[in-house]
Amino acid sequence: GDIEYVINVVAVQNSELIRADTKNSSRKPDGVTCHVPDPTHPCRLQLWEPYVAVAILLCQPPSKHFDAHLKSLLAHKDTHTICETILPEFITCETLQRERFYVFWNEYLGQKFTMIFREETIKDYVLHCTLDPQCGPGGVPRSYLVSPLVQQLIGGLGVFGGAYRELYEAMNDSSIPCRDILDFPTEDIDIGVAVQLRWDDSDLYDDPAISIKPFHGWMRIGGAVTLRPRDRLMEQLTGVKIEDLLNGAVPISPRKEEEQEDGSSDEEGHKFALRDVSKAKKISARRKKNKDAE
């Protein structure tokens, strides 16, 4: 049967603590590389953090203790407290010790938020920053701060509609050991109402970094395809996106670009190309003639 379980909570003294930074403003000076929280940089909760937190939960092996914890987390309705989402023992699970788990975020979060997420920084965030009170504003660990957004993401509430299923399927496709933690064998759970957050409503949908389009923004549109290594190589060699190539786009000739850099016009480059083709035809005809003569 069910075990008795009391989830750890902390009081919300300041509503600013749980106010999410919807624009992921914590970045390196280049403006695109993610600057993960650390003791010298206890930034506000970033919008990418609940995705990592839910992924950690998805990687946990089944147990009655975990099920009791998850049910308590999702059923929490007190808006004056926030729950401990990531327990210390969750960080030690086997999947989180593998490099594959951290390589996954480079592409997944990078495509979703048009930012650069280096695997070593995400690894440091998961293994060291998540539970450290010094990495959270007000001395509150990020394992607590992330709970309202984790409730929304798992429950498919607000802007996170469909995000849980998308994340689960993406991890499966990437061969990361995980399971559907909402697949309880016996009974349905009562998912409580998440803590109401003060979103930056005026700027929320004006930020191009979080607009709703394939691979970017809040959700990846259904039907979008993750590029395979071969497709990425093709894009690098041609300088044209794979979607454009499939739609009939013709790559620009590197030879033509070199000629234009030398000062020649598009028309001159076309003439050179025709001249080379004509020369090749003459050589081919001459070889054929010599072979027939023999």
Side-chain angles (χ1 to χ4, degrees), residues 279 281-291:
K279 184 178 179 181
K281 288 182 177 179
K282 289 180 180 179
I283 294 175
S284 178
R286 190 182 305 135
R287 288 178 178 174
K288 184 177 181 182
K289 184 178 179 181
N290 293 338
K291 184 176 182 180

Side-chain angles (χ1 to χ4, degrees), residues 46 92 95 105 113 122 125 166 178 249 279:
Q46 302 296 291
T92 61
T95 302
W105 298 108
F113 296 111
I122 294 295
Y125 168 80
E166 180 202 55
C178 61
K279 184 178 179 181

Side-chain angles (χ1 to χ4, degrees), residues 32 49 63 118 153 167 183 229 270:
V32 294
E49 293 185 67
S63 69
R118 304 195 184 282
L153 198 156
L167 177 60
D183 186 18
H270 183 62

Side-chain angles (χ1 to χ4, degrees), residues 19-27 34 43-53 109 112-113 115 117 125 142 146 149-150 152-153 159-160 197 199 204 207 209-211 217-219:
R19 184 185 178 195
D21 181 359
T22 61
K23 297 183 179 180
N24 291 311
S25 304
S26 180
R27 309 189 183 201
C34 174
C43 60
R44 280 172 52 193
L45 188 67
Q46 302 296 291
L47 200 58
W48 56 265
E49 293 185 67
Y51 289 90
V52 178
L109 289 180
K112 181 173 288 292
F113 296 111
M115 295 173 60
F117 292 84
Y125 168 80
R142 307 192 84 83
V146 78
L149 290 185
V150 167
Q152 292 195 13
L153 198 156
V159 295
F160 293 108
L197 303 179
W199 300 91
L204 187 57
D207 184 0
I210 57 174
S211 60
W218 297 105
M219 280 297 301

Side-chain angles (χ1 to χ4, degrees), residues 59-79:
C59 294
Q60 300 306 309
S63 69
K64 290 184 177 180
H65 180 267
F66 175 83
D67 289 347
H69 173 78
L70 182 63
K71 289 180 180 180
S72 298
L73 171 65
L74 298 182
H76 183 75
K77 300 178 181 180
D78 184 3
T79 58

Side-chain angles (χ1 to χ4, degrees), residues 51-150:
Y51 289 90
V52 178
V54 172
I56 293 174
L57 297 178
L58 291 174
C59 294
Q60 300 306 309
S63 69
K64 290 184 177 180
H65 180 267
F66 175 83
D67 289 347
H69 173 78
L70 182 63
K71 289 180 180 180
S72 298
L73 171 65
L74 298 182
H76 183 75
K77 300 178 181 180
D78 184 3
T79 58
H80 300 291
T81 59
I82 52 179
C83 304
E84 184 180 21
T85 303
I86 307 300
L87 302 180
E89 56 265 34
F90 292 174
I91 304 298
T92 61
C93 81
E94 183 180 354
T95 302
L96 268 61
Q97 312 308 314
R98 301 176 181 176
E99 292 301 319
R100 183 190 298 270
F101 179 80
Y102 303 101
V103 173
F104 166 77
W105 298 108
N106 295 342
E107 183 172 357
Y108 184 80
L109 289 180
Q111 291 177 343
K112 181 173 288 292
F113 296 111
T114 61
M115 295 173 60
I116 297 175
F117 292 84
R118 304 195 184 282
E119 58 186 87
E120 62 271 13
T121 56
I122 294 295
K123 184 175 183 178
D124 184 64
Y125 168 80
V126 171
L127 299 182
H128 303 107
C129 300
T130 305
L131 306 176
D132 189 350
Q134 296 184 6
C135 294
V140 180
R142 307 192 84 83
S143 57
Y144 283 84
L145 296 175
V146 78
S147 65
L149 290 185
V150 167

